[in-house]
Amino acid sequence: MSDLTELYRDVAVCRRCDLYKTATNPVPGEGPENAQIMFIGEGPGWNEDQLGRPFVGAAGKFLDQMFALIGLRRSDVYIANVVKHRPPNNRDPLPDEISACSHFLDRQIAITKPKIIVTLGRHSMARYFPNSAISKIHGTYFKKDGVVYFAMYHPAAALHQANLKYEIEQDMLKLPVILNELQAVPKPDPVENPTQLKMF
Ligand code: URA
C-alpha cells in the first residue's frame, strides 16, 4: 500500500474531532505522490462531501481554469484541505478541528515533498503566514528549507467578488516563474514569457 493510500485510510476512520459525524465522505485530498506544487484549501463543501474529492464544485471549476492558465492539469498537482471532513452548513473550521487535522496535512507534505505550497484563503494562510492579512500578502512568498510558501486568495472569493478574479489570475501567473527559479536550470530569460515555461 502506498503511503498516501495508507493516509487516506487513516483519514477515513479519524475520530479526532466531531466533523466525521455530520460528513457524508472524508475528503483526504488527491494528486500524485511526486507533485511539485501542493494547493491547500480550507475544507470540503457540499459537492466535495458528496464525492469525497477536493475542489469539485464551483470554486474547483474556477481553480481548474487557473491551472489551465499556466499550462497545468489538475492531475499535475496535489490538492489538500486544512480539514478533511466538511464542517456542517459550510461554516468555517474551528481552531480545534484545524489542529486535530493538521497532522494529516503534515503527513501529506512529508510524503509528497512539494517544492511549492500554495495556500488558498485565510485558513491555510494562517498555518504559514500567522497574523497576516490576505489582502496584503496574496501573491507573495517566502522560502524555508528549500520550500516556497505562496499565499493566494481562496478561489471561491472570485465567485463572490469579480475584482478578485483578476488578482487570483495575476498571482497564479507567478507560479511558473517561481518554479522555474527553483529548478535553477540555466535558461535564457525565464521571466520574459512566464506562461510558456516548461514546468514538468
Ligand atoms: N473549498 C475548499 O476550501 N476546499 C474544497 O475542497 C472545496 C471548496
Side-chain angles (χ1 to χ4, degrees):
M1 192 193 313
S2 79
D3 290 345
L4 281 176
T5 306
E6 194 175 345
L7 181 140
Y8 299 157
R9 287 192 173 191
D10 292 346
V11 170
V13 296
C14 180
R15 302 293 181 257
R16 289 191 187 207
C17 80
D18 283 343
L19 289 181
Y20 77 93
K21 292 183 180 171
T22 46
T24 314
N25 287 299
V27 185
E30 64 185 27
E33 199 159 311
N34 62 351
Q36 302 198 65
I37 308 181
M38 178 182 285
F39 290 83
I40 308 177
E42 174 182 323
W46 187 87
N47 292 286
E48 291 75 22
D49 178 65
Q50 292 296 306
L51 296 181
R53 297 183 56 208
F55 282 102
V56 289
K61 286 204 173 65
F62 178 62
L63 190 58
D64 287 344
Q65 287 171 21
M66 293 301 96
F67 294 153
L69 184 67
I70 58 169
L72 283 181
R73 285 159 307 174
R74 168 182 277 256
S75 55
D76 293 323
V77 302
Y78 197 89
I79 307 177
N81 276 307
V82 165
V83 294
K84 314 300 194 210
H85 285 95
R86 180 193 182 210
N89 305 315
N90 289 349
R91 67 158 168 74
D92 283 354
L94 302 172
D96 281 359
E97 293 161 351
I98 292 175
S99 66
C101 215
S102 72
H103 69 109
F104 284 131
L105 204 43
D106 292 339
R107 270 172 70 188
Q108 283 169 313
I109 294 164
I111 294 167
T112 57
K113 301 185 187 59
K115 290 191 162 82
I116 306 181
I117 291 181
V118 182
T119 64
L120 299 172
R122 284 182 299 122
H123 292 283
S124 52
M125 178 191 75
R127 189 178 154 100
Y128 301 106
F129 302 81
N131 307 315
S132 299
I134 190 122
S135 55
K136 292 219 167 63
I137 64 150
H138 74 90
T140 69
Y141 67 89
F142 69 90
K143 199 169 167 188
K144 187 163 180 246
D145 301 331
V147 178
V148 164
Y149 298 87
F150 183 75
M152 281 182 63
Y153 279 109
H154 194 283
L159 307 178
H160 308 302
Q161 290 169 266
N163 61 317
L164 293 186
K165 185 169 182 273
Y166 175 78
E167 302 285 347
I168 294 173
E169 284 169 358
Q170 295 307 304
D171 291 348
M172 199 72 174
L173 286 168
K174 294 179 184 173
L175 279 181
V177 183
I178 298 169
L179 190 63
N180 204 56
E181 281 167 9
L182 283 176
Q183 284 167 342
V185 185
K187 285 203 168 124
D189 176 7
V191 185
E192 219 167 58
N193 197 350
T195 54
Q196 286 179 10
L197 297 176
K198 184 90 187 100
M199 296 174 62
F200 298 98

